[in-house]
Amino acid sequence: MTAPAAVSRWRSPVGGAAVPRLGVGLGLRPELEPLVLEGTGPIDWLEVVAEHYMGRPGAVERLLGLAGGHPVVPHGIELSIGTEGEPDAAYLDDLAGLVQMLNAPWFSDHLCFTRTTEFDLGALTPLPLSEEVARSVARRARAVQAAVGRPFLLENIAYHLRMPGELTEAEFITAVVEEADCGLLLDLANLLQNSINHGYDAYLLLDQLPLERVVQVHLAGGVLGTDGRYHDTHSEVVPEGVWDLLAYLCDRVPVAGVLLERDQNLHRSGEILADLGRARALVEDGR
Amino acid sequence: MSGVAEALARLLVDPEARRRLSLQPQGLGAAYRLTDEELKAMVDLDPEALELAADTLRRKRLARLSAVYPWTLKALHLGSGGALGKFMAGHPPAAGGGPAAALEGERERFRRFVAGRSGPGADLAADLLRFEECKRRLAMAARPGVHGSGERVVLRCRWDVLSTGAALDLAPPRLEPSPGPVRLLMSLGGTPGAATVRIHRLVPRER
């Protein structure tokens, strides 16, 4: 494999370099392993749920064998960057160990909270859109990035509940990633869902984000419910609305990694391969 | 974290707190030391969206329990007058010790809840729970640290119903109703285990 070219405009404060271009990737699920092993699809890299491998060197070795030399990026779901207090030291140790074992070019988690002092919700929950919360989250994100020693990306989440606060969603995201000096994992399916369910212009929001910090993109397909709400179920082909957003984004900034998330209807490999192929074509057009 | 997020978490896990929000919001404000402005923001939350978010959370909790205790949940869902709803409302997902410990705490609360029930269907649910817990412990003992990473664990059992089952991904049961207790002997990766189960009725898991 030749070394991938560096593409991001954002230069991480850790590592000292722009992040490399990975191309088009697939979120690894057990049922998708045969697709990866076949090696015929347009899959340049893999993303895995970080917590499934943290502190499990045997599982990581197996994963590296499966990846066959392709880059693997850990994507966390339990960091809970919005929870008050210091990030859990043992968790960060395990995460740093995983990132090192994978030699991952970056790692990511969600801009949300999943637990409070009282409850462990186990679900990505939106944060109050306040300056105080943004500063607090940014301080922790900066600490996480420093502790792990690789570029850290935060992902915008989908939400049913629009949270109160003096900032807009775009202002909140911007405040966090700029103050933390971390990258942005832009989930275009989440953006589409929120724009439909909360009645705003996704492109307007996109224009208000610091796009130069976008390192990675998530694509996924959901369903429009009978209640008129869009549900990002990761079960269907990527909808045209998401492809349009990706094309819009690729026209403006280079994106180091485009990743397809699929969690249901995993047997429909034809759909998955078609989505991956379309993503690759779009990304290559944008070069 | 601001009191707003703490209060929101309470609203998401506690139906009674949601009900009181419109009637007596001062209680929530006092409990989480919200300013007048913050409390007003909570009261102004879209009630429909709040219920939707709470329902999403409830379903995620059920999905996590169902991954380990699918037959038990099916038995509770089928036969016991809102038992699952009572568990969800009465046993919020307490924090403590990190996500893994919190998840184990949730399972422990669920096991106590099922074991403590009485009335129609309670025995069946309790038996299924013991069986599924035995399988889980067997699987974890045999392949520590592998679960959740995509490894499929296959149990070898004396009965066809379990021959293709995996600890976290059971095939639909095909056993005929059996009137009395049966002892299931299993081995996984050389680790022996056993469970005593009384099968009253089994319903294939929906795919």
Side-chain angles (χ1 to χ4, degrees):
Chain A
M1 264 172 76
T2 55
V7 292
S8 72
R9 291 183 189 168
W10 169 62
R11 286 184 176 268
S12 166
V14 293
V19 295
R21 181 194 292 274
L22 297 190
V24 174
L26 178 65
L28 186 64
R29 305 292 180 263
E31 295 85 345
L32 296 177
E33 288 183 7
L35 201 64
V36 174
L37 285 169
E38 277 174 22
T40 53
I43 303 170
D44 304 316
W45 61 286
L46 298 172
E47 183 185 80
V48 296
V49 176
E51 288 82 1
H52 289 181
Y53 296 90
M54 287 162 53
R56 297 169 178 173
V60 177
E61 281 173 22
R62 182 183 175 281
L63 170 64
L64 288 170
L66 178 78
H70 288 96
V72 181
V73 172
H75 180 52
I77 53 177
E78 292 177 357
L79 174 61
S80 195
I81 195 75
T83 299
E84 202 167 58
E86 296 305 312
D88 184 81
Y91 180 95
L92 288 185
D93 279 350
D94 285 346
L95 179 58
L98 175 63
V99 167
Q100 197 166 12
M101 273 191 85
L102 295 174
N103 193 23
W106 65 77
F107 68 103
S108 59
D109 208 298
H110 301 81
L111 183 49
C112 69
F113 70 99
T114 62
R115 61 182 173 275
T116 63
T117 53
E118 269 188 300
F119 303 113
D120 197 309
L121 301 175
L124 310 176
T125 308
L127 286 158
L129 303 175
S130 73
E131 289 177 7
E132 178 197 348
V133 171
R135 276 195 301 274
S136 167
V137 171
R139 185 179 55 76
R140 278 189 294 279
R142 192 178 275 275
V144 167
Q145 186 164 244
V148 175
R150 295 285 164 92
F152 179 36
L153 318 184
L154 280 168
E155 176 184 351
N156 59 307
I157 66 164
Y159 52 84
H160 293 301
L161 203 56
R162 204 160 192 175
M163 289 299 285
E166 68 273 18
L167 302 178
T168 65
E169 183 180 357
E171 287 170 342
F172 181 76
I173 294 171
T174 302
V176 171
V177 295
E178 293 201 334
E179 176 73 19
D181 199 2
C182 65
L184 192 52
L185 194 176
L186 198 55
D187 190 312
L188 297 177
N190 288 346
L191 179 58
L192 180 75
Q193 171 179 316
N194 293 338
S195 71
I196 292 173
N197 294 349
H198 299 287
Y200 65 72
D201 184 338
Y203 293 90
L204 195 59
L205 189 139
L206 212 51
D207 286 342
Q208 294 166 345
L209 292 175
L211 295 185
E212 71 280 2
R213 289 184 179 272
V214 174
V215 172
Q216 184 189 332
V217 159
H218 271 172
L219 310 174
V223 294
L224 197 59
T226 52
D227 56 0
R229 288 177 183 268
Y230 186 81
H231 300 271
D232 185 27
T233 51
H234 297 188
S235 61
E236 309 298 323
V237 295
V238 175
E240 289 305 316
V242 169
W243 291 120
D244 292 345
L245 286 167
L246 179 61
Y248 186 85
L249 182 69
C250 287
D251 280 348
R252 279 153 185 79
V253 287
V255 179
V258 173
L259 185 113
L260 177 66
E261 291 186 299
R262 184 81 173 227
D263 292 310
Q264 298 180 56
N265 294 326
L266 295 164
H267 60 287
R268 297 185 194 161
S269 54
E271 288 181 359
I272 295 169
L273 289 170
D275 275 346
L276 289 166
R278 189 169 173 182
R280 177 174 277 178
L282 254 173
V283 169
E284 287 179 351
D285 279 355
R287 279 182 179 177
Chain B
M1 183 183 299
S2 76
V4 172
E6 296 276 350
L8 175 66
R10 163 63 68 181
L11 291 173
L12 289 175
V13 302
D14 185 348
E16 181 60 20
R18 292 199 295 279
R19 194 186 66 78
R20 284 198 309 265
L21 180 62
S22 57
L23 304 173
Q24 297 169 308
Q26 297 82 0
L28 187 76
Y32 294 98
R33 298 180 181 178
L34 301 179
T35 65
D36 289 346
E37 191 181 355
E38 288 170 337
L39 182 57
K40 182 177 183 313
M42 300 308 286
V43 173
D44 288 346
L45 287 172
D46 176 0
E48 189 185 340
L50 186 57
E51 286 299 330
L52 195 60
D55 187 56
T56 300
L57 178 62
R58 190 183 66 85
R59 280 196 244 180
K60 281 180 189 285
R61 289 180 66 194
L62 281 176
R64 282 194 293 273
L65 286 172
S66 182
V68 182
Y69 308 118
W71 293 3
T72 310
L73 258 74
K74 180 68 89 174
L76 287 178
H77 180 68
L78 282 178
S80 47
L84 279 180
K86 284 177 194 160
F87 172 74
M88 288 288 151
H91 302 76
L103 182 59
E104 188 47 45
E106 174 98 321
R107 289 176 183 154
E108 176 58 30
R109 285 188 294 278
F110 181 69
R111 289 193 291 268
R112 281 203 303 266
F113 172 78
V114 173
R117 290 178 63 244
S118 59
D123 285 352
L124 172 62
D127 285 345
L128 287 171
L129 180 89
R130 279 198 292 276
F131 168 60
E132 290 180 327
E133 178 62 11
C134 177
K135 287 184 70 183
R136 183 176 80 95
R137 288 177 187 274
L138 250 181
M140 296 307 286
R143 303 297 297 271
V146 171
H147 267 288
S149 68
E151 289 281 355
R152 184 175 291 265
V153 179
V154 178
L155 292 169
R156 290 185 179 277
C157 308
R158 286 175 50 184
W159 284 274
D160 285 344
V161 60
L162 297 166
S163 63
T164 58
L168 299 182
D169 186 12
L170 284 171
R174 288 184 281 111
L175 191 65
E176 292 299 316
S178 168
V182 291
R183 187 168 173 78
L184 300 181
L185 300 177
M186 299 175 284
S187 70
L188 183 110
T191 305
T196 301
V197 185
R198 285 193 301 276
I199 305 292
H200 298 283
R201 180 167 172 253
L202 293 174
V203 178
R205 188 154 63 104
E206 290 172 8
R207 289 281 182 181

